[in-house]
């Protein structure tokens, strides 16, 4: 099997003063290259914590995590930054675009931190074209609709050709029609480019469209619910 | 990220908050301008005093009667005790002895008093000096027209006078073409034989507002002294700058012998030009440091403005920092970004401040000239280098704390920040 993600006994513990909060407890699973997976679960069940860990924004308290063949658990901050830059694309619920930069400037950012100067502009333009914003390249975020802003964010997430795109409730701030468009965009990217996709969502309709659903409850995999198996 | 890119982004970000960036820059501008202007004024004062002390003569020594450390009164304040003997012409003559005083080149005794010059109803009160021909050489005097007092004038006790240009203007209305005219000094007729070249104001009052007459004439008719042949001051030119200390030594020994004063209780004082220079250099040096120090404090306050604004900026942009880290920014990328911003703020402030300080110094100089003071503030390269590097260091130093705070933010925490 060609695993993009191998998670063994991931645990994440937060200290809240005297108390320990176990946001993840012994979570183990694998994700295949090109797979599209949704993560569901009630609020506070550890979905975001899981995404942050898988996205190398944070280290697990214990357990082993291998992303695209690299063991991440023991890496230092700068190594993690490099892994994020090369292997992960993020799409956030609240878009997280820099308002000072144009759409193009925002999409160029990951390339800048990758140290790429040659062909940077062209690659960013191609990414914006791929999300259907060919004629909005020089607009700033406040000149774009919510849906367009999220498209810019999607373009930014794929511009570095990452192994995996992580989307934490990407449609949470959008109305259902625009949300659907974004979902279709992500689905199309997965189909056309074979990019592995992990989506955190509350929406069963969205989960329906993915190949597999990972359910979380109180920081643990909800095995009883993992009955759907794999869809074709 | 490359350095030019970092500068470009920093400019973009500073431009995004013009008001705030402008006010922060203003703090540095004021600080740097103050440093530049204050140092310029201090240096200018020093140069002007040094210049006027140098213009009074070359390798010059002064001998006054009265002791420097004897109470009361300092050098030149007259004899301090009843047992003191005044300086006399024979003292001056003794100093001309080439064997006892090989370091002495020329000796010029003088007596001085105030008197009124009159010409065609115009009056002017000025310093009247009774001098010998060597006076002109010892005191670096040049004549704009006519001639200085010569030996013949001295021997004949002639009624001739050399005027300073200001005095000439005061009674004639002009300083040229007055040689040959007859004026009255304290009611007695004197023929004008020369006018000196203007020197400008000096540390010892203006030498341009003066009248010089033969020593013998002054002694006999204008300036009465209690002791026969008494002189007020003896000006001495040493053979070279290096010979000034030995000249001072020789002069002291000769007069000490003649006045029969025990060693340590001299009734006269020898003062060199260098003594004046170093005294004034100390005073203006302290003044410059004081002014510069006050200005430096305002530069420091400007630096605190930078740290303040950068801390606000880091807090405000916590999410941005989190996002950049999520996209792959390393610690040093974030550090560079914020350090570039703070350095640019202070660098821009520094450059504008230098120009502004220069302008202030220029205006001060203009005002001084307009009010008749011979004083030009000097903007030295040292002041420019000092304040530029100081402001750059301030930008870096005061940027480091906010920037490292930004660089060390946890990406997850930063992204959650509202
Ligand atoms: N930085 C943190 N410090 C302390 N507790 C945290 C932190 N982040 C998350 N938690 C806790 O961990 C649990 C899981 O949170 P999260 O992963 O955000 O859940 P979800 O995204 O599923 O709503 C919650 O109980 C939450 O309060
Ligand atoms: Mg969440």
């Amino acid at each position: 099997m060609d695993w993009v993600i191998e998670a063994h006994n991931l645990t994440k513990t937060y200290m809240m003063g005297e108390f320990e909060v176990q946001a993840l407890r012994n979570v183990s699973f694998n994700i295949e290259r090109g797979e599209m997976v949704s993560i569901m679960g009630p609020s506070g069940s550890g979905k975001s914590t899981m995404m942050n860990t898988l996205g190398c924004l944070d280290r697990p308290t214990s357990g082993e995590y291998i992303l695209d063949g690299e063991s991440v658990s023991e890496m230092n901050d700068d190594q993690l930054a490099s892994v994020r830059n090369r292997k992960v694309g993020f799409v956030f619920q609240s878009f997280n675009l820099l308002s000072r930069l144009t759409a193009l400037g925002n999409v160029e950012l990951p390339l800048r931190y990758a140290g790429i100067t040659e062909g940077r502009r062209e690659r960013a333009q191609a990414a914006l074209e791929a999300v259907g914003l060919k004629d909005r390249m020089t607009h700033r975020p406040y000149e774009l609709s919510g849906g367009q802003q999220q498209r810019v964010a999607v373009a930014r997430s794929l511009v570095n050709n990452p192994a995996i795109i992580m989307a934490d409730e990407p449609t949470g701030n959008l109305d259902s029609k625009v949300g659907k468009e974004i979902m279709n965009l992500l689905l199309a990217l997965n189909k056309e480019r074979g990019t592995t996709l992990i989506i955190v969502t509350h929406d069963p309709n969205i989960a329906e469209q993915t190949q597999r659903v990972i359910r979380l409850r109180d920081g643990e995999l909800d095995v009883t619910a993992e009955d759907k198996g794999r869809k074709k | 990220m490359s350095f030019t890119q970092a500068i470009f982004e920093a400019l973009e970000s500073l431009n995004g908050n013009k008001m705030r960036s402008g006010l922060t820059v203003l703090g540095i501008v004021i600080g740097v301008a103050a440093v530049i202007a204050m140092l310029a004024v201090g240096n200018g004062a020093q140069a002007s005093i040094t210049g006027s002390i140098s213009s009074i003569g070359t390798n010059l020594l002064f001998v006054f009667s009265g002791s420097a450390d004897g109470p009361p009164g300092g050098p030149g304040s007259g004899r301090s005790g009843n047992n003191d003997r005044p300086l006399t012409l024979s003292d001056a003559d003794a100093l001309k002895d080439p064997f006892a005083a090989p370091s002495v080149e020329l000796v010029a005794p003088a007596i001085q008093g105030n008197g009124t010059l009159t010409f065609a109803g115009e009056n002017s009160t000025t310093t009247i000096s009774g001098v010998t021909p060597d006076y002109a050489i010892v005191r670096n005097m040049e004549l704009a027209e006519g001639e200085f007092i010569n030996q013949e004038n001295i021997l004949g006790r002639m009624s001739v006078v050399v005027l300073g240009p200001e005095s000439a203007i005061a009674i004639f209305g002009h300083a040229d073409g007055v040689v040959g005219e007859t004026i009255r000094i304290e009611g007695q007729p004197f023929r004008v034989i020369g006018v000196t070249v203007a020197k400008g104001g000096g540390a010892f009052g203006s030498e341009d507002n003066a009248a010089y007459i033969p020593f013998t004439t002054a002694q006999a008719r204008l300036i009465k002294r209690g002791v026969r042949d008494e002189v007020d001051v003896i000006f001495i030119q040493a053979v070279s700058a290096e010979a000034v200390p030995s000249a001072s030594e020789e002069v002291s020994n000769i007069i000490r012998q003649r006045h029969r004063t025990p060693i340590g209780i001299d009734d006269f004082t020898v003062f060199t030009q260098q003594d004046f220079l170093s005294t004034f250099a100390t005073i203006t040096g302290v003044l410059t440091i004081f002014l510069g120090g006050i200005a430096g404090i305002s530069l420091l306050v400007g630096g605190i403005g930078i740290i303040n604004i950068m801390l606000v900026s880091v807090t405000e942009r916590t999410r941005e920092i989190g996002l950049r880290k999520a996209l792959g920014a390393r610690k040093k990328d974030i550090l560079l970004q914020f350090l570039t911003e703070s350095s640019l703020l202070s660098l821009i402030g520094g450059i504008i401040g230098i120009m502004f300080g220069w302008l202030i110094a220029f205006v001060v100089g203009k005002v001084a000239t307009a009010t008749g003071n011979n004083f030009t503030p000097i903007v030295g390269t040292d002041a420019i280098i000092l304040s530029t590097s100081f402001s750059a260091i301030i930008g870096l130093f005061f940027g480091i704390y906010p920037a490292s705070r930004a660089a060390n933010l946890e990406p997850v925490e930063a992204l959650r920040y509202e």
Side-chain angles (χ1 to χ4, degrees):
Chain A
M1 273 293 174
D2 186 9
W3 303 120
V4 169
I5 282 175
E6 296 167 69
H8 303 295
N9 294 325
L10 290 188
T11 301
K12 182 72 188 178
T13 311
Y14 290 113
M15 292 301 295
M16 293 289 283
E18 297 280 290
F19 301 98
E20 284 191 356
V21 179
Q22 292 235 301
L24 290 179
R25 306 168 197 239
N26 280 321
V27 176
S28 302
F29 60 90
N30 292 349
I31 293 178
E32 211 182 317
R33 193 177 301 281
E35 205 178 352
M36 177 151 53
V37 177
S38 50
I39 298 177
M40 295 191 78
S43 185
S45 58
K47 303 185 297 294
S48 294
T49 305
M50 174 115 110
M51 283 300 254
N52 293 338
T53 310
L54 297 183
C56 302
L57 286 168
D58 213 351
R59 274 177 288 256
T61 312
S62 68
E64 193 176 17
Y65 172 38
I66 296 168
L67 171 61
D68 199 20
E70 290 187 47
S71 178
V72 174
S73 317
E74 303 295 318
M75 285 186 175
N76 67 26
D77 288 352
D78 282 353
Q79 289 168 321
L80 283 181
S82 164
V83 168
R84 287 195 295 270
N85 184 259
R86 288 179 287 117
K87 297 192 185 294
V88 187
F90 291 97
V91 179
F92 302 93
Q93 180 174 352
S94 52
F95 319 144
N96 275 338
L97 300 177
L98 295 189
S99 55
R100 265 182 285 109
L101 302 180
T102 60
L104 202 55
N106 271 289
V107 177
E108 275 186 51
L109 269 181
L111 297 172
R112 286 193 179 185
Y113 289 120
I116 294 167
T117 46
E118 232 166 274
R120 188 171 71 204
R121 178 128 302 190
E122 291 71 24
R123 276 175 72 172
Q125 283 168 344
L128 279 167
E129 250 170 73
V131 299
L133 286 179
K134 194 177 167 156
D135 51 353
R136 292 284 188 281
M137 302 220 194
T138 56
H139 287 57
R140 283 167 209 276
Y142 51 83
E143 298 164 332
L144 298 171
S145 72
Q148 287 170 327
Q149 288 187 50
Q150 196 61 306
R151 281 171 189 271
V152 174
V154 171
R156 182 180 63 193
S157 75
L158 59 86
V159 73
N160 258 3
N161 289 323
I164 184 162
I165 289 180
M166 310 218 170
D168 194 346
E169 305 195 31
T171 61
N173 281 10
L174 301 170
D175 62 43
S176 57
K177 181 174 163 285
V178 178
K180 210 170 241 159
E181 284 172 22
I182 294 293
M183 267 318 293
N184 288 337
L185 177 64
L186 289 170
L187 290 170
L189 285 172
N190 171 258
K191 278 220 175 62
E192 288 161 20
R193 305 187 171 216
T195 314
T196 314
L197 193 61
I198 304 181
I199 301 175
V200 170
T201 183
H202 285 299
D203 187 343
N205 295 326
I206 288 175
E208 189 87 337
Q209 293 171 282
T210 61
Q211 296 165 336
R212 180 153 63 119
V213 180
I214 294 176
R215 287 177 200 276
L216 283 175
R217 186 175 295 275
D218 290 335
E220 288 181 302
L221 284 188
D222 192 349
V223 202
T224 54
E226 201 172 8
D227 50 353
K228 266 185 78 181
R230 302 188 62 181
K231 254 176 44 165
K232 269 296 134 207
Chain B
M1 266 207 296
S2 78
F3 194 61
T4 41
Q5 218 159 50
I7 289 179
F8 193 73
E9 272 200 31
L11 280 175
E12 219 166 32
S13 140
L14 295 178
N15 194 36
N17 219 324
K18 287 193 190 66
M19 181 76 166
R20 184 196 284 176
S21 307
L23 287 174
T24 314
V25 164
L26 187 64
I28 297 293
V29 167
I30 291 172
V32 170
V35 168
I36 294 274
M38 291 303 178
L39 291 184
V41 166
N43 285 340
Q46 188 144 10
S48 141
I49 288 171
T50 308
S52 66
I53 291 176
S54 304
S55 77
I56 59 175
T58 318
N59 311 330
L60 190 61
L61 295 91
F62 312 74
V63 188
F64 303 101
S65 61
S67 92
D69 38 31
S77 65
R79 282 166 288 148
S80 51
N82 292 335
N83 298 331
D84 290 355
R85 293 176 44 176
L87 294 169
T88 61
L89 266 186
S90 27
D91 286 332
D93 287 335
L95 299 177
K96 291 178 184 163
D97 180 348
F99 299 104
S103 304
V104 171
E105 171 95 26
L106 290 171
V107 178
I111 45 176
Q112 291 170 327
N114 285 329
T116 308
L117 313 180
T118 326
F119 180 79
E122 295 291 335
N123 286 324
S124 172
T125 301
T126 186
T127 309
I128 316 286
S129 302
V131 298
T132 56
D134 284 346
Y135 186 90
I137 306 166
V138 173
R139 297 297 307 270
N140 275 356
M141 284 208 166
E142 285 174 45
L143 290 192
E145 62 179 44
E147 276 164 13
F148 201 70
I149 291 152
N150 59 27
Q151 201 55 35
E152 204 179 314
N153 302 143
I154 298 280
L155 293 175
R157 290 187 192 173
M158 290 164 70
S159 297
V160 293
V161 61
V162 174
L163 293 176
E166 263 179 49
S167 303
I169 290 168
I171 52 172
F172 292 110
H174 52 89
D176 49 343
V178 301
V179 169
E181 299 282 359
T182 301
I183 64 169
R184 284 177 186 275
I185 304 178
E186 296 289 294
Q188 305 178 29
F190 278 78
R191 190 164 50 84
V192 178
I193 58 167
V195 177
T196 60
V197 170
K199 274 188 174 181
F204 304 92
S206 175
E207 290 178 78
D208 297 341
N209 181 18
Y212 306 94
I213 60 176
F215 185 89
T216 46
T217 317
Q219 204 181 26
R221 292 173 28 201
L222 277 179
I223 305 167
K224 300 288 185 204
R225 290 286 180 252
V227 176
R228 217 177 85 83
D229 280 350
E230 178 174 349
V231 303
D232 291 334
V233 56
I234 303 173
F235 297 98
I236 294 159
Q237 187 172 46
V239 290
S240 67
E242 295 73 42
V244 169
S246 51
S248 169
E249 198 58 35
E250 292 158 12
V251 166
S252 297
N253 284 336
I254 292 170
I255 302 182
R256 221 170 264 147
Q257 248 170 26
R258 294 178 52 81
H259 287 200
R260 297 200 179 82
T261 54
I263 288 179
I265 7 181
D266 289 344
D267 59 358
F268 63 94
T269 308
V270 180
F271 225 70
T272 67
Q273 210 169 358
Q274 198 54 46
D275 293 334
F276 280 112
L277 277 179
S278 45
T279 305
F280 281 103
T282 311
I283 294 171
T284 53
V286 168
L287 184 80
T288 307
I289 291 170
F290 180 69
L291 292 177
I294 289 178
I297 289 173
S298 69
L299 191 49
L300 196 69
V301 172
I304 293 171
I306 287 191
I307 196 171
N308 189 16
I309 245 33
M310 292 309 293
L311 281 175
V312 170
S313 166
V314 167
T315 308
E316 264 184 8
R317 286 151 72 186
T318 302
R319 275 186 83 91
E320 171 186 335
I321 295 161
L323 172 77
R324 286 177 183 272
K325 289 198 152 191
L327 298 182
R330 286 154 302 172
K331 274 191 172 92
K332 67 170 192 198
D333 292 320
I334 304 292
L335 202 67
L336 180 68
Q337 179 188 348
F338 281 89
L339 276 186
T340 310
E341 280 184 29
S342 65
S343 305
L344 271 181
L345 280 176
S346 72
L347 193 71
I348 294 169
I351 291 169
I352 300 175
I354 287 171
M355 297 191 287
F356 198 54
W358 211 314
L359 190 74
I360 293 173
F362 179 76
V363 169
V364 167
K366 280 282 172 232
V367 169
T369 313
T371 55
N373 292 301
N374 180 21
F375 166 64
T376 318
I378 297 165
V379 179
T381 28
D382 54 340
I384 292 178
I385 291 168
L386 186 80
S387 52
T388 320
S389 47
F390 197 41
S391 66
I393 288 168
I394 275 183
L396 279 176
F397 180 76
F398 287 105
I400 280 175
Y401 175 62
S404 66
R405 245 171 76 158
N408 287 316
L409 283 174
E410 289 294 335
V412 175
E413 298 299 321
L415 277 169
R416 281 157 59 102
Y417 186 85
E418 290 306 324

